[in-house]
């Protein structure tokens, strides 16, 4: 499947290999496969098994030729993968037929070699081996033991072809015919050497777009290779995958693979493991799996399962033990596929593949057309399942399901008559109607269109291409305009490579902003994968078509076709499901190759062998004559050239085979480096398994984890600091909620992988949570000793965090255990993995992640008890660096806990701080508060007047926005000067400050008994070691105003007109910016309207400028002026003065709003009423009309000095223009701002 096969090989097969029992060295127990890691109890102790059930070492007995330069023979790998569980012995009572399986060897550079193996049983002729087996049985004292005199002993043997390309079907036929030659009573026409020699040296690889026929021992073998314009070669039966797992499961597995989740396949059939793995990776076209890929994990490599990297591995089951016996090192982010039992375990929070239901529907239709159910089919036979033709029994149900049309052509008879069915398919394409065809007549026609492979094989090819085209079409539709978003590097290639880690190669934010909402959870995660990054890298490296990798070239040509068909604007996105339309031409190409074979290879012939050579005993696969097989013919036209001359002439265009691009060394180096950037290993070294090699592998993992951690934290910070990042050229749009969740989820996944690397004993699905529980347990034991009598959960050595909120509200104590308890108390979170994720989110929000993990790991005894020496968490330098990277998150504000767990109950603590100057002590009335947040509000809460604080629990309010507070005006002294209100979230520790600085009481200040306060998050000035650098808080008020307002809040500052205009401009600007952010990002609009230097404050300055100072001791408020204006407008309306329609409309609106606010039952004072009027005016886009009205009103002339801003026409006009910019925004007010007003 991969484009990276060895470029020099032009031969169909590189090696022929025989593996089995080496009678010289005798029986060697396969220690590794037998006892394997104790953690996999499933492979129970080798020596407890009866000897026939034990595994013994197999050897590569012979391979021909000795070596080929383009693909050096890897004896260990081939030996391990031909017989992954070593030798097995049987007696005549338990003999089995030959089993075929394929495997893959991935080299360091990502290129692959395929192996195809046929394993069968042969009688053991060696007396020593038989008596050794009998001795073992006596030692094992079994009654039903093997008896040398009574039983015949058989042992497994394997013949294998190693090939550069995966022609599974052809290789299977070659091997089966070779085995048949040895077991059949009649010897084959030629010695075995002739056939092996033929397949090694005289059969070429078919060139792209061609088919090839060559001779096996008993019959022809056909293989065909797709052209450079088709999907890459894939020769495994997809049908089997759908029958084993069902469409729904296949799609879930496919989604896991695309998101680079660890995948473990589990089956007792090696070929099933390989078929599922190869199918899933083939369906990913145009993307390629970039990580560890071991479809068959040899038993001796089980330690590899704790690899803390994404992997796709296949584990062999012995068919007796069930899933529960299998202990895996990490399961937090694992997709476990039990192939034989047709079920799949998915990681939590797996997003849905876009248009999943329509996609399943489309795949099911394709399968039904071939008579395959879309559900998993438990009857699927052991080896390969047959494509079921329609039987009359199926007919009725299919008619019912609407799968068969009622035409005579689709009748049952015709389905049985394959020639006509095929004819019909061909004719249908030419558009001729065959409805009137007479069935009998045509059974004998069209003899020459014989297909050169069996019906079964053709059906397999057709089904494969149908399904693959449907899958490929999803990506062509989803990424049809991806090129627009590729960021081409500005510097040269060398510089680009040296900075590759830091570079963004794709404008993710813009791409996602064009996508339909339902696609986002999947796409935002997919764009973060290594496979997507590599795909885009190869796009950047290939400027013209000649350069492109095969997959990229095919994909781009399809995308161009879609663009031409759809001619829609590249960024206009639709979630309309578009079915695949190019299946027919793909199918036609395959049929053309199979109907007309392009080339026939040389026939096998007698070799130059000595007399007597080439004879062997029937029933035994012999050692072949290595002298004749060690090298090919000297004048062989295949040896040096990759295609014969006549093909070249005929085929100039097609000759861009998939691997020609490898010739350009420089580019290959780049592509390779790009591939290896994020990966550590593709496949474990299958050779030397000494402790030093295992240690080295683990060391690579540790380095890889650290690098990944560095890149992730950097990426998250760059995204989070969006606004500052724009100047640094890191991208335009700030992070979206979906993306932030994606990045945090991938951080949680990374932490789980780090925590499960090198675990001694696996407990629960989440390694991180398991470690935390151990820590909690040991801490609580220690705290239970008499020495520690402090209340539980409060840790002696942690100091309180300092806070600028004043001493009124001491900050929460920093306690890892307390944070764990909070999570344990949340009943909505049911699983360990979920708890670990919630704990990470909470720690991120509290800016304590690095500190908590440092504390967790400071218990060295516990870490030693839980982890092996090589584990990441026991590599001190790397661990320190890792904690330092996490510390950088303290530089930004995350609300990743509050925003995600929206339904949980949270304790809040409210403190009202009265002014120290004027006696709050004499205050007699009963105060109340009502707290509102982005998610909900509390309703009115009574506050005890002696303590002025209250703690209550309610559903998560989200980020807090406003506090309404007031009192009931009871008692002798019901006047109260309040400085501020503080509210703290008892779980996240976020403290909000709601400044007031005004009186509440009748006859004092503006006579208000209640006020609406707008708050901001009070920042923690944490210890310096925890601070790297602080970004400003989430909602930054306009900074310009701070320069000229350095006066205490009670004395009214006098601003000049320039400063007032600037203030209004900044307030409006803040609101405009707010609406230009993606919806999930917007902060609090209330803050921008009513907060410090918000719109209400700015308009207050406008109306106060040049306001005539009243008589002594009498306060006049803006509201007094507005009421007078209202009286004037109402009287002019009555007196029917001639004004235009427009003016009357504005007046009516203004008076209506004034009346409504004045008649509200709430006791808000004059300034509160003014605030309400501004908010309603902004909501209904009326502010600029009202300013125009008031500027011309005679009352203004009476109440304002001549230099007042309201009397300056040019200033009023510019103010109106600025306010008009609010018209395009749909402003929604928080309920607390307009409570009690029915407009």
């Amino acid at each position: 499947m991969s484009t990276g096969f060895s470029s020099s090989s032009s031969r169909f097969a590189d090696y022929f290999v025989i593996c089995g029992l080496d009678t010289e060295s005798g029986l060697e127990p396969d220690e590794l496969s037998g006892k394997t890691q104790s953690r996999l109890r499933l492979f129970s102790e080798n020596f407890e098994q009866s000897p026939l059930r034990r595994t013994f070492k197999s050897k590569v007995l012979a391979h021909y030729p000795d070596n080929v330069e383009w693909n050096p023979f890897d004896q260990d790998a081939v030996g391990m993968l031909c017989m992954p569980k070593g030798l097995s012995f049987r007696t005549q009572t338990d003999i089995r037929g030959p089993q075929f399986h394929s495997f893959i060897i991935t080299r360091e550079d990502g290129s692959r070699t395929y192996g195809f193996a046929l394993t069968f049983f042969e009688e053991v002729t060696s007396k020593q081996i038989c008596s050794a087996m009998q001795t073992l049985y006596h030692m094992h004292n079994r009654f039903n033991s093997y008896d040398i005199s009574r039983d015949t002993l058989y042992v497994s043997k394997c013949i294998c072809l190693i090939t550069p390309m995966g022609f599974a079907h052809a290789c299977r036929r070659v091997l089966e015919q070779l085995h048949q030659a040895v077991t059949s009573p009649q010897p084959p026409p030629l010695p075995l050497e002739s056939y092996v020699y033929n397949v090694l040296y005289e059969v070429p690889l078919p060139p792209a777009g061609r088919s090839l026929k060559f001779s096996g021992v008993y019959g022809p073998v056909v293989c065909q290779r797709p052209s450079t314009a088709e999907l890459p070669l894939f020769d495994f039966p997809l049908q089997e995958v759908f029958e084993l797992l069902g469409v729904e499961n296949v799609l879930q597995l496919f989604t896991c693979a695309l998101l680079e989740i660890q995948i473990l396949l589990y089956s007792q059939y090696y070929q099933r493991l390989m078929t599922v793995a190869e199918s899933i990776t083939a369906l990913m076209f145009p993307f390629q799996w970039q990580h560890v890929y071991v479809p068959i994990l040899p038993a001796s490599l089980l330690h590899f399962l704790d690899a803390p990297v994404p992997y796709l591995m296949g584990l062999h089951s012995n068919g007796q033990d069930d899933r529960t016996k299998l202990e895996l090192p990490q399961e937090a982010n694992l997709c476990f596929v039990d192939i034989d039992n047709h079920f799949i375990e998915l990681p939590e929070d797996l997003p849905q593949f876009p248009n999943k239901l329509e996609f399943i529907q489309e795949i099911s239709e394709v399968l039904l057309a071939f008579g395959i159910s879309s559900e998993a089919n438990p009857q699927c036979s052991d080896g390969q399942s047959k494509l079921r033709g329609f039987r009359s029994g199926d007919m009725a149900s299919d008619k019912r399901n609407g799968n068969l049309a009622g035409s005579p052509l689709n009748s049952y008879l015709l389905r049985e008559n394959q020639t006509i069915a095929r004819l019909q398919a061909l004719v249908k394409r030419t558009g001729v109607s065959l409805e009137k065809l007479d069935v009998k007549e045509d059974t004998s026609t069209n003899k020459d269109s014989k297909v050169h492979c069996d019906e079964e094989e053709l059906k397999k090819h057709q089904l494969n291409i149908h399904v693959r085209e449907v899958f490929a079409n999803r990506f062509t539709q989803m990424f049809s305009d991806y090129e627009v978003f590729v960021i081409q590097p500005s510097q040269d290639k060398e510089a680009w490579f040296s900075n590759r880690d830091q570079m963004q190669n794709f404008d993710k934010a813009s791409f996602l902003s064009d996508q339909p909402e339902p696609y986002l959870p999947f796409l935002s995660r997919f764009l973060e994968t290594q496979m997507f990054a590599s795909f885009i890298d190869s796009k950047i490296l290939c400027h013209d078509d000649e350069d492109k990798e095969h997959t990229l070239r095919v994909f781009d040509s399809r995308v161009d076709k879609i663009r031409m068909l759809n001619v829609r604007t590249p960024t206009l996105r639709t979630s309309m499901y578009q079915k695949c339309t190019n299946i027919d031409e793909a199918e036609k190409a395959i049929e053309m190759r199979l109907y007309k074979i392009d080339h026939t290879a040389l026939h096998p012939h007698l070799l130059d062998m000595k007399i007597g050579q080439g004879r062997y005993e029937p029933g035994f696969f012999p050692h072949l004559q290595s002298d004749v097989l060690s090298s090919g013919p000297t004048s062989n036209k295949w040896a040096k050239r990759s295609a014969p001359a006549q093909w070249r002439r005929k085929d100039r265009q097609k000759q861009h085979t998939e691997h020609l691009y490898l010739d350009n060394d420089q580019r290959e180096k780049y592509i390779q480096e790009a591939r290896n950037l994020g990966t550590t290993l593709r496949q474990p070294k299958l050779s030397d398994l000494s402790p030093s090699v295992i240690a080295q592998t683990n060391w690579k993992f540790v380095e890889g984890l650290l690098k990944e951690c560095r890149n992730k934290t950097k990426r998250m910070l760059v995204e989070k600091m969006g606004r500052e990042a724009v100047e640094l050229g890191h991208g335009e749009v700030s992070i979206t909620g979906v993306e932030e969740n994606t990045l945090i989820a991938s951080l949680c996944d990374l932490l789980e992988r780090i925590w499960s690397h090198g675990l001694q004993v696996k407990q629960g699905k989440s390694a991180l949570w398991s470690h935390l529980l151990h820590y909690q347990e040991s801490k609580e034991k220690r705290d239970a000793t008499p020495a520690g009598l402090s209340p539980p959960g409060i840790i002696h050595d942690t100091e309180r965090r300092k806070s600028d909120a004043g001493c009124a509200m001491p900050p929460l104590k920093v306690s890892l255990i307390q944070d764990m308890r909070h999570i344990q108390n949340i009943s909505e979170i049911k699983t360990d993995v979920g708890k670990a994720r919630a704990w990470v989110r909470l720690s991120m929000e509290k800016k304590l992640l690095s500190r908590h993990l440092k504390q967790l790991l400071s218990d060295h005894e516990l870490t030693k008890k839980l982890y092996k020496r090589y584990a990441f968490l026991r590599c001190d330098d790397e661990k320190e660096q890792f904690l330092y990277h996490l510390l950088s998150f303290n530089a930004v504000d995350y609300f990743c806990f509050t925003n995600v767990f929206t339904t949980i109950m949270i304790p809040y603590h409210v403190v009202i701080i009265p002014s120290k100057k004027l006696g709050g002590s004499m205050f007699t009335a009963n105060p109340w508060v009502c707290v509102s947040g982005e998610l909900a509000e509390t309703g009115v809460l009574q506050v005890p007047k002696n303590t002025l604080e209250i703690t209550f629990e309610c559903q998560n309010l989200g980020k807090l926005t406003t506090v309404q507070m007031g009192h009931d005006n009871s008692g002798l002294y019901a006047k109260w000067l309040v400085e501020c209100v503080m509210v703290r979230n008892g779980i996240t520790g976020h403290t909000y400050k709601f400044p007031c600085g005004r009186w509440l009481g009748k006859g004092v200040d503006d006579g208000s008994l209640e006020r609406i306060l707008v708050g901001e998050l009070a920042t923690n000035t944490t210890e310096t070691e925890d601070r790297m650098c602080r970004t400003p808080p989430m909602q930054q008020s306009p900074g310009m105003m701070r320069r000229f307002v350095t006066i205490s809040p009670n004395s009214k500052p006098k601003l000049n007109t320039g400063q007032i205009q600037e203030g209004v401009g900044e307030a409006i600007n803040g609101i405009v910016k707010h609406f230009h952010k993606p919806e999930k990002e917007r902060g609090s609009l209330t803050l921008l309207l009513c907060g410090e230097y918000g719109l209400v404050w700015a308009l207050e300055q406008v109306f106060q400028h040049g306001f005539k100072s009243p008589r002594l001791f009498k306060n006049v408020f803006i509201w007094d002026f507005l009421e007078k204006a209202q009286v004037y407008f109402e009287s002019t309306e009555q007196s029917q003065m001639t004004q235009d329609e427009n003016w009357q409309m504005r007046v009516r609106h203004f008076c209506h709003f004034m009346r409504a606010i004045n008649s509200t039952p709430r006791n808000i004072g004059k300034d509160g009423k003014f605030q309400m009027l501004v908010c309603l005016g902004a909501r209904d886009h009326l502010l600029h009309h009202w300013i125009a009205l008031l500027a011309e009103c005679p009352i203004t002339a009476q109440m304002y000095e001549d230099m007042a801003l309201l009397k300056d026409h040019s200033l009023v006009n510019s103010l109106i223009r600025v306010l008009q910019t609010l018209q395009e925004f749909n402003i929604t007010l928080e309920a607390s701002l307009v409570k009690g007003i029915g407009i």
Side-chain angles (χ1 to χ4, degrees), residues 487-500:
I487 302 170
Q488 289 294 347
S490 45
Q491 67 275 67
D492 62 295
K493 292 267 195 293
E494 285 295 340
W496 181 74
F497 254 98
S498 48
N499 297 313
R500 178 63 199 86

Side-chain angles (χ1 to χ4, degrees), residues 78 80-84 99-105 113-119 158-163 165-169 171-172 175 234-237 240 269-279 293-297:
V78 172
M80 261 186 202
L81 291 166
C82 277
M83 306 183 96
Q99 291 279 328
F100 171 80
H101 79 270
S102 32
F103 57 85
I104 211 165
I105 297 174
T113 305
Y114 285 85
F116 300 98
L118 188 73
T119 309
C158 169
I159 52 175
C160 165
L161 281 173
I162 304 289
T163 64
M165 295 182 79
F167 291 110
H169 186 77
C171 292
R172 180 173 191 153
L175 293 171
F234 171 74
D235 195 27
F236 290 84
E240 196 178 328
Y269 302 101
Y270 293 121
Q271 186 57 11
R272 283 185 183 180
L273 295 173
M274 185 70 179
T275 302
V276 173
E278 282 290 280
S279 300
Y293 182 69
V294 192
I296 296 173
L297 187 68

Side-chain angles (χ1 to χ4, degrees), residues 951-1003:
T951 301
F952 60 93
E953 193 176 62
C954 70
Q955 194 168 318
N956 185 352
L957 299 172
K959 287 184 211 162
L960 301 188
T961 50
T962 60
V963 163
Q964 301 156 60
M965 64 166 302
H967 61 74
D968 61 359
N969 200 28
S970 61
L972 294 171
Y973 191 74
K975 297 183 178 65
W976 192 26
L977 180 59
V978 175
E979 193 171 302
C980 66
V981 176
M982 307 291 296
V983 184
R984 184 177 64 206
N985 177 323
I987 292 183
T988 66
H990 283 317
T991 305
Y992 292 82
K993 183 176 186 177
F994 297 86
C996 177
R998 305 282 299 264
W999 285 90
L1000 284 91
K1002 285 274 189 247

Side-chain angles (χ1 to χ4, degrees), residues 109 304 306 457 491 586 620 624 635 638 703 821 862 884 1201 1205 1219:
D109 65 356
F304 219 74
D306 79 356
E457 180 68 358
Q491 67 275 67
F620 294 94
L624 305 175
S635 65
W638 307 106
E703 284 179 330
R821 291 216 184 103
L862 181 61
Y884 184 73
E1201 314 274 358
L1205 189 150
L1219 288 172

Side-chain angles (χ1 to χ4, degrees), residues 158 350 611 640 744:
C158 169
L350 185 70
I611 293 174
K640 296 285 175 283
I744 286 176

Side-chain angles (χ1 to χ4, degrees), residues 60-109:
V60 173
L61 302 176
H63 64 278
Y64 315 100
D66 266 348
N67 207 20
V68 296
E69 70 213 69
W70 59 84
N71 181 8
F73 188 73
D74 186 341
Q75 180 135 348
D76 294 308
V78 172
M80 261 186 202
L81 291 166
C82 277
M83 306 183 96
K85 290 202 75 174
L87 296 171
S88 53
F89 286 89
R90 295 272 181 275
T91 61
Q92 74 284 355
T93 54
D94 187 22
I95 192 85
R96 295 190 181 172
Q99 291 279 328
F100 171 80
H101 79 270
S102 32
F103 57 85
I104 211 165
I105 297 174
T106 312
R107 296 194 202 80
E108 293 272 314
D109 65 356

